């Protein structure tokens, strides 16, 4: 938050009436006593009493004038460190006050407005700030609930040394703290298969190209002379070099089921929050392994969606990961009842899901939605599903037979489908999925090394 300009703003434009409204009980008493003494001096003809009355009445008015001017000569700034934190982690907020006037301030009290979920409202008392001086304070905020939380406005209360007047100034600037879902560090797991273009098994697109298939480009300063293509050099009359071989990017779609009817319960330990955290862990893990990843929900919304095919490339992986985590920080239940929109996205686009890894986090699936999920498998090179039963998470009981039936439907369609019980770490399920795919006959679905 940049330093606030030393001018009136917002509710501070109260004029003389607002300044006089800041008189404390002591200041009002002095003013009343001074007026009463001056009136008595006029009636009794006592000049000495008149001087005393004028002094008593003038002192609080002088304090009001000085304090009113001083409050516009104090600048404030706020800095978050960091501005994006996982749920349950702490962030530190740094506040800085600068006295840009030529006079020292009196007593200052700082109060920053923060949402209740981040903790108690912080208050600080500063005794005195010299002319041109600076004071810095800090406080910590923490939330177990993901989301975006505004911090501010910062409120400053000034008091004169005599306690005659107190004035409040509110700065208009806000900052936003983003609390992203918790993520787990997932293990490196290798899945069997022979398809190229994924994980360790990806091939270079030009590696098998013959000499006549090479498309050269003009030589640039710094190019390795060993890459000079002499036949093209002779043809064009200038140095030409072979283009660098480009690897096929391994691609993955992380699908998050957000249907309201698919989950029960609420709070940080609910099934829905586990699914959001699982999706965040999966996309971070896969992007670290070099995958081009996109986040897809049952509503058909895709993140980041900046590229032609909607996948995040390697060059902007850090920014894309941050964008997807910011999206997951505020994702909420959808009112939709089906997965058809997600299937439409997987069908559409050039390469938009026709190959690659599909990792899905499903809530409750009825027979119709299980059939739709089974059809998604046709549009992916490999598919892994984590299925959560809302009733199981609420009661803490065993996985019911209906969930087993849905898992069977998915497995028959080629999914590696696993039930998620309350409190089960995603790390364990990730390893279990890797073992099941490796033990599958012939390494089903033709996926190679996508998890390593």
């Amino acid at each position: 938050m940049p330093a606030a300009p030393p001018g009136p703003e917002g509710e501070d434009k109260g004029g003389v009436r607002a300044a006089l409204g800041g008189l404390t009980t002591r200041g009002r008493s002095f003013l009343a006593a001074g007026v009463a003494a001056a009136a008595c001096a006029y009636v009794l003809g006592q000049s000495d009493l008149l001087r005393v009355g004028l002094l008593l009445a003038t002192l609080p008015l002088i304090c009001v004038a000085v304090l009113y001017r001083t409050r516009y000569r104090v600048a404030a700034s706020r800095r978050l460190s960091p501005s994006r934190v996982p749920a349950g982690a702490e962030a530190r907020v740094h506040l800085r006050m600068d006295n840009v006037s030529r006079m020292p301030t009196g007593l200052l009290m700082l109060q920053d407005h923060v949402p209740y979920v981040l903790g108690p409202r912080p208050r600080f008392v500063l005794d005195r700030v010299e002319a041109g001086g600076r004071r810095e304070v800090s406080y910590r905020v923490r939330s177990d609930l993901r989301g975006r939380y505004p911090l501010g406005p910062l409120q400053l209360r000034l008091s004169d040394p005599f306690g005659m007047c107190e004035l409040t100034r509110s700065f208009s600037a806000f900052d936003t703290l983003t609390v992203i879902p918790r993520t787990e560090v997932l293990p490196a797991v290798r899945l069997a298969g022979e398809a190229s273009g994924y994980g360790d098994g990806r091939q270079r697109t030009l590696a098998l190209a013959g000499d006549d298939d090479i498309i050269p480009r003009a030589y640039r300063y710094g190019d390795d002379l060993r890459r000079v293509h002499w036949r093209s050099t002779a043809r064009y009359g200038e140095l030409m070099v072979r283009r660098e071989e480009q690897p096929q990017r391994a691609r993955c779609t992380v699908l998050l089921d957000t249907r309201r009817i698919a989950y029960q319960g609420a709070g940080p330990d609910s099934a829905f929050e586990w699914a959001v955290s699982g999706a965040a862990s999966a996309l971070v893990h896969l992007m670290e392994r070099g995958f081009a990843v996109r986040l897809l929900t049952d509503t058909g919304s895709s993140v980041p969606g900046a590229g032609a095919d909607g996948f995040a490339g390697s060059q902007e992986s850090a920014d894309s990961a941050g964008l997807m985590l910011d999206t997951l920080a505020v994702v909420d239940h959808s009112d939709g009842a089906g997965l058809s929109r997600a299937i439409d996205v997987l069908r559409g686009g050039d390469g938009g899901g026709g190959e690659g890894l599909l990792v899905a986090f499903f809530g409750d699936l009825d027979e119709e939605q299980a059939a739709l999920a089974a059809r998604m498998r046709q549009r992916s090179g490999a598919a892994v599903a984590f299925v959560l039963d809302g009733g199981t998470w609420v009661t803490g009981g065993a996985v019911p037979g209906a969930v087993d039936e849905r898992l069977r439907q998915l497995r028959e369609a080629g999914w590696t489908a696993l039930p998620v019980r309350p409190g089960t770490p995603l790390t364990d399920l990730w390893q279990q999925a890797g073992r099941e795919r490796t033990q599958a006959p012939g390494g089903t679905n033709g996926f190679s090394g996508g998890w390593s």
Side-chain angles (χ1 to χ4, degrees):
M1 180 182 77
E9 53 183 278
E11 63 190 48
D12 295 323
K13 299 178 180 179
V16 177
R17 180 178 300 179
L20 293 176
L23 284 172
T24 61
T25 302
R26 179 183 298 180
R28 295 176 186 273
S29 299
F30 267 65
L31 183 60
V35 172
C40 292
Y42 177 78
V43 172
L44 300 176
Q46 297 291 328
S47 59
D48 293 337
L49 182 59
L50 178 61
R51 296 188 186 96
V52 172
L54 292 176
L55 176 63
L56 293 176
T58 304
L59 181 59
L61 296 179
I62 293 176
C63 292
V64 168
V66 172
L67 205 61
Y68 185 74
R69 178 178 176 82
T70 300
R71 69 172 177 169
Y72 294 124
R73 297 295 182 266
V74 178
S77 63
R78 183 193 299 107
R79 178 172 57 87
L80 295 180
S81 178
S83 59
R84 180 192 291 128
V85 295
E90 290 184 344
R92 185 167 289 275
V93 183
H94 301 269
L95 303 176
R96 193 180 81 178
M97 301 298 302
D98 293 275
N99 182 13
V100 297
S101 70
R102 298 180 180 179
M103 296 180 59
T105 68
L107 188 68
L108 299 179
M109 189 180 81
L110 302 179
Q111 177 176 277
D112 208 6
H113 290 260
V114 301
Y116 175 77
V117 70
L118 296 182
R121 181 170 297 178
R123 294 181 175 89
F124 304 93
V125 177
L126 305 178
D127 291 336
R128 181 178 180 273
V129 182
E130 65 278 4
R134 172 188 302 173
R135 295 290 185 273
E136 294 185 3
V137 293
S138 64
Y139 63 94
R140 294 177 295 180
V141 290
R142 176 182 180 275
S143 174
D144 292 325
L145 300 175
R146 56 186 175 81
R148 286 199 184 103
Y149 301 101
L151 300 178
L154 180 64
Q155 195 173 66
L156 174 65
R157 181 178 297 175
L158 302 91
S159 176
D160 68 279
F162 301 103
M164 298 288 181
C165 181
E166 286 186 354
L167 293 180
T168 300
R169 178 183 179 188
S170 293
F171 297 89
S172 59
F174 287 82
D175 286 280
T176 301
L177 175 68
T178 303
V179 181
I180 61 176
R182 295 185 182 94
T183 58
E184 299 182 40
V185 179
L186 301 180
V189 178
R190 180 176 177 82
L191 302 180
E194 301 299 334
S196 64
Y198 303 98
D200 296 335
R202 59 184 178 230
Q203 305 290 328
R204 293 184 179 272
T205 57
L206 302 180
L208 300 180
D211 192 57
D212 294 335
D213 297 326
I214 294 176
I215 302 176
R217 63 169 173 81
Y219 174 83
R220 298 171 187 165
Y221 178 77
D223 283 338
D224 191 345
L225 291 176
R226 291 174 295 183
R227 293 175 48 222
V228 173
H229 192 247
W230 297 109
R231 180 179 299 179
S232 298
T233 298
R235 179 183 302 173
Y236 294 104
E238 61 176 323
L239 279 178
M240 306 293 290
V241 296
R242 297 180 178 88
R243 291 183 183 272
E244 293 181 354
E245 299 172 351
Q246 300 296 326
Q248 291 182 351
R249 291 285 296 163
R251 294 189 298 184
C252 174
T253 297
V254 177
L255 173 62
L256 175 63
D257 181 7
T258 64
R259 295 172 299 133
R260 188 181 303 276
I261 62 174
Y263 299 93
Q264 300 180 35
D269 296 326
S270 64
F272 181 65
E273 293 301 322
W274 190 99
V276 173
S277 178
S281 302
L283 68 87
V284 169
H285 173 77
L286 291 166
M287 293 193 77
E288 289 176 349
R289 295 303 182 269
F291 277 70
V293 182
R294 70 173 171 182
L295 173 65
L296 180 65
T297 68
D298 59 288
T299 62
S301 59
S302 179
V303 181
D309 56 3
F311 289 84
S314 59
Q315 299 298 323
E316 66 279 359
S317 59
D319 293 338
S320 298
L323 176 61
M324 286 187 277
L325 289 175
D326 288 348
T327 301
L328 289 175
V330 296
V331 69
D332 201 357
H333 292 291
S334 69
D335 294 327
L339 302 171
S340 57
R341 292 184 180 178
I343 294 180
D344 293 339
V345 174
L346 292 173
R347 286 176 176 172
D350 185 12
E355 56 184 34
L357 174 63
L358 175 61
V359 179
F361 295 84
F362 292 122
D364 292 335
L365 295 174
D366 56 24
E367 185 175 357
E368 179 183 356
Q369 300 309 315
L372 289 174
R375 290 167 53 191
M376 294 181 186
R377 170 63 186 85
Q378 302 172 3
R379 303 295 301 170
S380 63
V384 180
F386 301 96
V387 183
L388 297 88
D389 176 68
T392 302
W393 277 73
V394 172
T395 62
V399 175
V403 176
D404 287 335
E405 177 62 23
R406 306 297 175 246
L407 293 172
R408 185 188 62 78
Q409 284 182 259
L410 295 177
R411 288 165 181 163
E412 289 179 351
W415 285 82
T416 299
L418 300 174
V420 181
R421 294 175 174 81
T424 305
L426 179 60
T427 303
D428 296 345
L429 296 173
W430 197 262
Q431 290 178 325
Q432 181 182 348
R435 289 194 300 267
E436 290 193 8
R437 291 192 55 79
T438 302
Q439 295 169 2
T444 60
N445 303 337
F447 186 81
S448 174
W451 297 39
S452 58

